[in-house]
Coordinates of all heavy atoms in Angstrom, one line a residue:
M14 N 68.7 65.1 21.0 CA 67.3 65.1 20.5 C 67.3 65.7 19.1 O 67.8 66.8 18.9 CB 66.5 65.9 21.4 CG 65.0 66.0 21.0 SD 63.9 66.9 22.0 CE 64.8 68.0 23.0
A23 N 51.7 74.8 1.7 CA 52.1 75.7 0.7 C 53.6 76.0 0.6 O 54.0 77.1 0.2 CB 51.3 77.0 0.8
F32 N 62.3 83.6 5.4 CA 62.5 84.0 6.8 C 61.4 85.0 7.2 O 61.7 85.9 8.1 CB 63.9 84.6 7.0 CG 65.0 83.6 6.8 CD1 65.7 83.6 5.6 CD2 65.2 82.6 7.7 CE1 66.7 82.7 5.4 CE2 66.3 81.7 7.5 CZ 67.0 81.8 6.4
S33 N 60.2 84.9 6.7 CA 59.1 85.8 7.0 C 58.7 85.5 8.5 O 58.9 84.4 9.0 CB 57.9 85.6 6.1 OG 57.4 84.3 6.3
A38 N 57.7 81.9 13.0 CA 56.8 81.6 14.1 C 56.3 80.1 14.0 O 56.2 79.4 15.0 CB 55.7 82.6 14.2
A42 N 57.1 77.2 16.7 CA 56.0 76.5 17.4 C 56.1 75.0 17.2 O 55.9 74.2 18.2 CB 54.7 77.0 16.9
E43 N 56.4 74.5 16.0 CA 56.5 73.1 15.8 C 57.7 72.5 16.5 O 57.6 71.4 17.1 CB 56.7 72.8 14.3 CG 56.8 71.3 13.9 CD 55.6 70.5 14.3 OE1 54.5 71.0 14.4 OE2 55.8 69.3 14.6
Q46 N 56.7 72.2 20.2 CA 55.8 71.1 20.4 C 56.6 69.7 20.4 O 56.4 68.9 21.3 CB 54.7 71.0 19.3 CG 53.7 72.1 19.5 CD 52.7 72.1 18.4 OE1 52.7 71.3 17.4 NE2 51.7 73.0 18.4
G48 N 59.8 69.2 20.8 CA 60.7 69.2 22.0 C 60.0 68.9 23.3 O 60.5 68.1 24.1
V51 N 59.2 65.2 23.5 CA 60.4 64.4 23.9 C 60.7 64.5 25.3 O 61.0 63.6 26.0 CB 61.6 64.7 22.9 CG1 62.8 63.9 23.4 CG2 61.3 64.3 21.5
A55 N 60.8 61.7 28.2 CA 62.1 61.5 28.9 C 62.8 60.2 28.5 O 63.1 59.4 29.4 CB 62.0 61.7 30.4
E65 N 77.3 52.8 24.1 CA 76.8 53.3 22.8 C 77.4 54.6 22.4 O 77.4 54.9 21.3 CB 75.3 53.4 22.9 CG 74.6 52.1 22.8 CD 73.1 52.2 22.7 OE1 72.6 53.1 22.0 OE2 72.3 51.5 23.4

Side-chain angles (χ1 to χ4, degrees):
M14 179 177 22
F32 296 103
S33 66
E43 180 62 27
Q46 288 176 358
V51 174
E65 286 186 43

